[in-house]
Amino acid sequence: MTEFLQSLVRGLGSGSIYALLALGFVIIYKSTRVISFAQPAFMLAGAVLVSYLAADVGFFAAVPIAAVLIAVLALGVERTVLRPMIGKPVFVVAIITIGVDVVVRVVTNAFIGLDVRQVGDPWGLNTVTLLGVEVQQRYLVMFGTTVAVVAVLFAFFRFSRVGLAMRAVAHDQEVALAQGISVGSVFALSWAIAGGLAALAGVFVATGAGVDQQLWVIALKALPAIILGGLDSLGGAVVGGLAVGVVESLVGTYQGDVAPWLGPNFALVAPYVLMLVVLLLKPYGLFGSKEVERL
């Protein structure tokens, strides 16, 4: 039981990272109908910024500053690179986001160098005893912070005027325009929010391990999360991210004993297997909206 609980907490911690990244993907998709492949680069850039800022202002001040700066960077990308592409095929815009990802990562890698950079988190790999189970503090911080961020986001979308405007644009852009809502501003804000969430996720990935040039690969685990939960569901992004983290952790813990013939690294592909199983049963994800077409 102890091993199971440790694995569960570890999975919820890792799943929190995937949930934050998946939320960014979904927020942009709901507003623009484009999947942004620039999220991995924003995640990496956010972690690197914290690694530099923490030495001067401390870790807890560096994290929100980096999140705001990456949000501004994402907003600038939307305004300068993607805004002129309005009306172009979605596929073309998605390819452009891949180009943005490559450019941002190349520039960011120059600030990383060949060494691993530490973000200066105060807990590192320290452990704490919770209900008689010893778990790493960083996983508890990841999960607790994600719960708080998700709560703020959902309150923002439900009760604020700007949040309601974003929901209206996600539902129907033409109707939102007719009601006087600036769709362009909503597009920019969605990119800014997604950039800030990616930066926070990058910090969590780097805690206890540091930042290297391969950190961005972690963001690819968010893709099964958004497909699992549904491309247009914020709640599904959270559930999908946590589910991917828990499945990956449990498979990594028990697969060697239960099914060793699958190989030692099957946990790395377990999220994608889970995604395929869900898609076979529910093609639009667990919480995604089913598209209805007139024939």
Side-chain angles (χ1 to χ4, degrees):
M1 179 59 73
T2 297
E3 186 179 47
F4 173 78
L5 292 176
Q6 288 177 330
S7 182
L8 180 62
V9 172
R10 185 166 57 249
L12 290 174
S14 299
S16 298
I17 297 170
Y18 307 147
L20 291 173
L21 288 166
L23 277 171
F25 278 108
V26 170
I27 288 172
I28 291 178
Y29 180 80
K30 283 175 69 69
S31 298
T32 66
R33 296 299 168 185
V34 172
I35 296 179
S36 168
F37 293 100
Q39 290 296 92
F42 294 147
M43 182 190 78
L44 179 63
V48 172
L49 263 178
V50 171
S51 72
Y52 279 94
L53 292 172
D56 296 323
V57 300
F59 176 79
F60 292 106
V63 173
I65 292 174
V68 170
L69 291 176
I70 298 302
V72 172
L73 171 63
L75 187 150
V77 167
E78 192 279 333
R79 287 285 179 174
T80 60
V81 179
L82 299 175
R83 182 61 58 89
M85 301 304 297
I86 289 180
K88 302 295 183 181
V90 172
F91 174 77
V92 174
V93 182
I95 293 298
I96 289 176
T97 65
I98 295 177
V100 171
D101 174 77
V102 173
V103 171
V104 174
R105 280 196 288 112
V106 168
V107 174
T108 303
N109 285 342
F111 291 91
I112 299 176
L114 300 178
D115 298 325
V116 175
R117 295 189 59 85
Q118 300 300 319
V119 294
D121 54 294
W123 44 81
L125 298 177
N126 296 335
T127 60
V128 63
T129 301
L130 180 66
L131 300 177
V133 179
E134 191 172 289
V135 296
Q136 290 187 16
Q137 293 180 15
R138 60 178 180 146
Y139 294 126
L140 300 178
V141 173
M142 291 175 186
F143 183 70
T145 304
T146 299
V147 169
V149 169
V150 168
V152 170
L153 275 178
F154 276 74
F156 168 75
F157 286 122
R158 184 172 181 82
F159 299 112
S160 72
R161 292 176 61 88
V162 177
L164 291 174
M166 294 184 72
R167 289 171 60 191
V169 171
H171 181 71
D172 193 312
Q173 292 182 11
E174 293 184 359
V175 172
L177 277 171
Q179 296 299 317
I181 295 174
S182 174
V183 174
S185 297
V186 169
F187 287 176
L189 182 58
S190 66
W191 271 79
I193 293 175
L197 292 174
L200 182 59
V203 174
F204 284 160
V205 175
T207 55
V211 186
D212 61 23
Q213 296 188 10
Q214 303 305 314
L215 183 76
W216 68 275
V217 177
I218 300 296
L220 298 180
K221 297 286 182 64
L223 294 178
I226 60 175
I227 300 300
L228 179 64
L231 271 173
D232 60 350
S233 173
L234 294 175
V238 177
V239 173
L242 295 177
V244 166
V246 169
V247 167
E248 183 181 38
S249 180
L250 291 177
V251 170
T253 301
Y254 295 107
Q255 177 258 322
D257 298 326
V258 177
W261 47 272
L262 290 173
N265 295 318
F266 184 73
L268 298 177
V269 300
Y272 299 94
V273 174
L274 174 65
M275 177 187 71
L276 291 175
V277 171
V278 171
L279 287 179
L280 288 174
L281 301 175
K282 300 198 69 173
Y284 297 98
L286 295 176
F287 305 99
S289 300
K290 184 177 180 179
E291 294 183 6
V292 179
E293 297 182 1
R294 293 182 179 274
L295 299 179

